[in-house]
Amino acid sequence: MPFCEISKYRQDSPSPAGADDNGVKIFYRTYGRGPTKVLLIIGLAGTHDSWGPQMKSLAGTVIPNNETEPVDLAGDGDGIEVCAFDNRGMGQSSIPVERGQYTTTIMAKDAIALMDHLGWEKAHVFGHSMGAMISCKLAAMVPKRVLSLALLNTTGGGYECLPKLDRRTMSVAIRFLKAKTPEQRAAVDLDTHYTKEYLDECIGSTTRRQILYQEYVKGISSTGMQLKYGFDGQINACWTHKVTKSDVEAIRSGGFLVSVIHGRYDIIAQIYYARRLAEKLHPIARMVDLHGGHLVSHERTEEVNQALAELIKASQAGTSPEDWTNIVQERSGWLVGRKSADRKKSKEGRVAESRSTSSGIFTTRLYASLVYLLSLFVLAFESMRKAHRSLRPAKVGSSLT
């Protein structure tokens, strides 16, 4: 089986306390052959095969390469070689038990070690959700090894990971906490990943929901439910993730193009934060918002694959950031907006914009506080429910005489 032993490729300083990588192995698969390399980084609780639709489009196959065959690092012709892997904490990769062993920085180092293991000097790096957070850190750490960067359904981490606050989302969150079987998890995952209209579409005599439900149950049953150590660790990685100003500057000066791709009806990673991240990465970023949910790579496969292909093509053609970006509005003090837009702004307009921005920041912080408090309430409710169960009197049968 193809594994990368992380400690063999770590040449940096020791990992943070509690994050010893001795013995950690990352399971991976490669697909297709060619000089163009693409590294796919999946999100929370996902496995490498979640990238199926993109593997098929990029590499032309979903059948993994035989790891016993000799590998031609240069590849053949114009082909693409794709690598997808299970992050630590999920699938066939190692599952460290300490939360401190899971951060997006540590997991980015896993991905860099995998590139070293494969002998890849550079690659196009595409990430989804938590995988996009990891991709951001990777790009900031080793920008010279990144050919292009695609960030699908992601945010800047921390409180931005909190989902949209409405009745539907709260219902999904409670069901997720209660899910203990592949059947229960499959049902809630569908509502988390896709829009309702997509799931309710009729496919012959049935609905897409019913078809996907069977596929999800089969997939979760084959890989097993994610262990608590892995789930808690990956949640910790998302919650502690932050795209810093230095990260943004490192990415913007890296010499590569970026696509931020998002489903506008994503209830997990809100599109507002994705747009804000894209704006911070101006002028190298392009924003692609699609009619879909969190797993937009499956719901809008054709559009996502086209966006990824355009990113690779533009990178190979040496397209300039100015010709690539579609972001024209300035929303942050450390963004560089288009000069033409700046010239049109009057002094009064800038004052009004400043007031609007201050109001927006206050509203965002208030909203985040409310969501955080509600999240604590849900967790407290779940803890009390478990405690109540443990205090129930044991059933005692009739005494024997």
Side-chain angles (χ1 to χ4, degrees):
M1 299 293 282
F3 286 94
C4 169
E5 191 171 334
I6 298 303
S7 60
K8 289 183 178 180
Y9 301 94
R10 284 286 173 86
Q11 298 178 358
D12 55 357
S13 58
S15 298
D20 186 4
D21 292 313
N22 289 334
V24 172
K25 295 181 179 180
I26 298 299
F27 176 82
Y28 70 93
R29 287 288 194 185
T30 60
Y31 305 80
R33 299 291 187 194
T36 301
K37 312 300 183 183
V38 177
L39 185 67
L40 302 176
I41 309 180
I42 197 58
L44 188 146
T47 54
H48 67 283
D49 50 8
S50 299
W51 284 107
Q54 284 64 54
M55 293 174 190
K56 179 67 175 177
S57 174
L58 293 166
T61 181
V62 292
I63 300 174
N65 297 330
N66 186 344
E67 62 269 18
T68 62
E69 295 177 355
V71 178
D72 177 8
L73 295 180
D76 298 321
D78 300 325
I80 295 177
E81 183 176 9
V82 171
C83 177
F85 62 97
D86 297 344
N87 285 305
R88 60 169 64 201
M90 186 58 193
Q92 298 181 63
S93 290
S94 299
I95 305 177
V97 298
E98 299 294 332
R99 287 190 184 183
Q101 293 174 293
Y102 299 84
T103 68
T104 52
T105 297
I106 291 173
M107 296 165 88
K109 291 178 180 179
D110 289 347
I112 295 169
L114 178 55
M115 288 178 66
D116 292 338
H117 175 77
L118 294 170
W120 290 7
E121 181 181 351
K122 296 183 178 183
H124 298 274
V125 180
F126 301 162
H128 177 266
S129 195
M130 179 188 73
M133 298 179 188
I134 296 169
S135 299
C136 258
K137 286 298 179 184
L138 184 156
M141 291 162 63
V142 289
K144 297 304 180 185
R145 300 188 66 174
V146 177
L147 295 172
S148 72
L149 181 65
L151 308 174
L152 283 70
N153 293 80
T154 194
T155 69
Y159 75 87
E160 293 184 9
C161 294
L162 293 172
K164 183 178 180 181
L165 180 58
D166 58 20
R167 183 178 298 178
R168 179 194 172 199
T169 306
M170 292 309 302
S171 172
V172 169
I174 293 172
R175 286 166 56 208
F176 182 86
L177 289 171
K178 293 181 177 180
K180 305 299 180 186
T181 67
E183 291 76 14
Q184 292 172 334
R185 181 61 183 272
V188 71
D189 277 358
L190 291 179
D191 288 329
T192 303
H193 292 164
Y194 305 101
T195 59
K196 184 177 183 300
E197 69 175 285
Y198 180 76
L199 292 173
D200 292 344
E201 254 182 56
C202 289
I203 309 294
S205 59
T206 186
T207 64
R208 182 176 276 111
R209 180 187 295 273
Q210 292 171 311
I211 296 172
L212 288 175
Y213 174 76
Q214 297 299 327
E215 293 178 2
Y216 269 52
V217 171
K218 182 179 178 181
I220 295 171
S221 298
S222 64
T223 60
M225 296 281 283
Q226 186 177 25
L227 296 182
K228 184 179 185 298
Y229 294 129
F231 178 75
D232 289 349
Q234 291 191 351
I235 287 289
N236 181 71
C238 294
W239 187 250
T240 57
H241 174 72
K242 183 179 180 181
V243 181
T244 65
K245 185 174 181 178
S246 61
D247 289 339
V248 170
E249 293 303 326
I251 294 172
R252 287 176 60 189
S253 61
F256 53 83
L257 302 176
V258 180
S259 275
V260 179
I261 305 170
H262 212 93
R264 64 181 68 107
Y265 301 109
D266 188 341
I267 65 171
I268 297 179
Q270 298 184 64
I271 194 170
Y272 166 79
Y273 297 117
R275 286 200 182 103
R276 192 162 74 172
L277 178 59
E279 289 165 352
K280 288 180 180 179
L281 295 175
H282 184 276
I284 65 170
R286 171 182 288 187
M287 183 71 204
V288 181
D289 65 285
L290 301 172
H291 186 96
H294 188 63
L295 202 57
V296 72
S297 56
H298 285 232
E299 185 169 346
R300 295 294 171 183
T301 298
E302 185 175 340
E303 293 96 323
V304 169
N305 290 346
Q306 180 180 346
L308 297 178
E310 288 175 354
L311 177 59
I312 293 176
K313 183 178 179 180
S315 300
Q316 293 174 336
T319 302
S320 69
E322 291 73 19
D323 291 332
W324 173 252
T325 189
N326 60 356
I327 299 168
V328 297
Q329 293 185 340
E330 182 180 350
R331 293 176 64 90
S332 170
W334 37 297
L335 287 179
V336 179
R338 291 182 181 269
K339 291 182 179 179
S340 59
D342 289 340
R343 284 195 295 265
K344 291 180 180 178
K345 289 184 178 179
S346 63
K347 182 178 179 180
E348 292 79 8
R350 288 194 296 270
V351 171
E353 182 181 346
S354 175
R355 290 173 178 170
S356 176
T357 301
S358 299
S359 176
I361 292 173
F362 174 78
T363 303
T364 299
R365 288 176 177 171
L366 176 61
Y367 174 82
S369 300
L370 291 173
V371 173
Y372 177 67
L373 291 173
L374 189 55
S375 300
L376 290 179
F377 172 79
V378 172
L379 292 175
F381 172 79
E382 184 67 13
S383 298
M384 288 188 291
R385 187 174 63 86
K386 290 180 179 178
H388 176 70
R389 283 182 175 177
S390 66
L391 292 175
R392 287 178 182 174
K395 294 182 180 179
V396 180
S398 303
S399 59
L400 297 176
T401 56

